[in-house]
Amino acid sequence: MLHAAGLLCGKRATTHWASLERLRALGDVDVVEERYVQDGKVWSSAGVSAGMDLMLAFIATVAGEDAAGKVQFSAEYYPSGVRYGGYEGHAQAPAYLGPPL
């Protein structure tokens, strides 16, 4: 939708791992494999929980780190980094997964 609206042309962006190749195929997007990406006013995330990471970063940018901390604390959102099942080694796993902790 962002691309169809003309908002991703020439921008850095990310998406869910299963759609990275589709995003790359658009040709005019600098696709990066990160949890979330901000390029100017355009923010994108890699999936559901990555969207929470994006929103906390957005809140910190707009309202300050303390506001983001309050939201994070209230939501009890503290990703542990634990990896289950070995899927971080999957051929389509995004680069940001890295080795398990």
Side-chain angles (χ1 to χ4, degrees):
M1 285 178 33
L2 290 174
H3 188 267
L7 299 173
L8 291 184
C9 181
K11 298 280 188 184
R12 293 176 69 243
T14 194
T15 190
H16 187 272
W17 64 266
S19 295
L20 286 167
E21 290 309 314
R22 287 177 37 211
L23 188 58
R24 284 186 180 104
L26 297 173
D28 59 356
V29 180
D30 180 12
V31 179
V32 293
E33 296 182 26
E34 296 178 13
R35 299 265 305 155
Y36 67 89
V37 175
Q38 176 193 6
D39 189 341
K41 293 183 178 183
V42 177
W43 294 70
S44 58
S45 69
V48 176
S49 63
M52 293 182 71
D53 294 344
L54 178 153
M55 188 49 60
L56 289 169
F58 178 81
I59 293 168
T61 299
V62 172
E65 194 170 312
D66 187 60
K70 287 176 183 176
V71 171
Q72 184 179 38
F73 180 70
S74 294
E76 293 187 53
Y77 181 69
Y78 296 97
S80 68
V82 174
R83 309 282 194 252
Y84 297 97
Y87 287 92
E88 65 278 356
H90 188 280
Q92 289 183 295
Y96 64 79
L97 277 181
L101 298 176

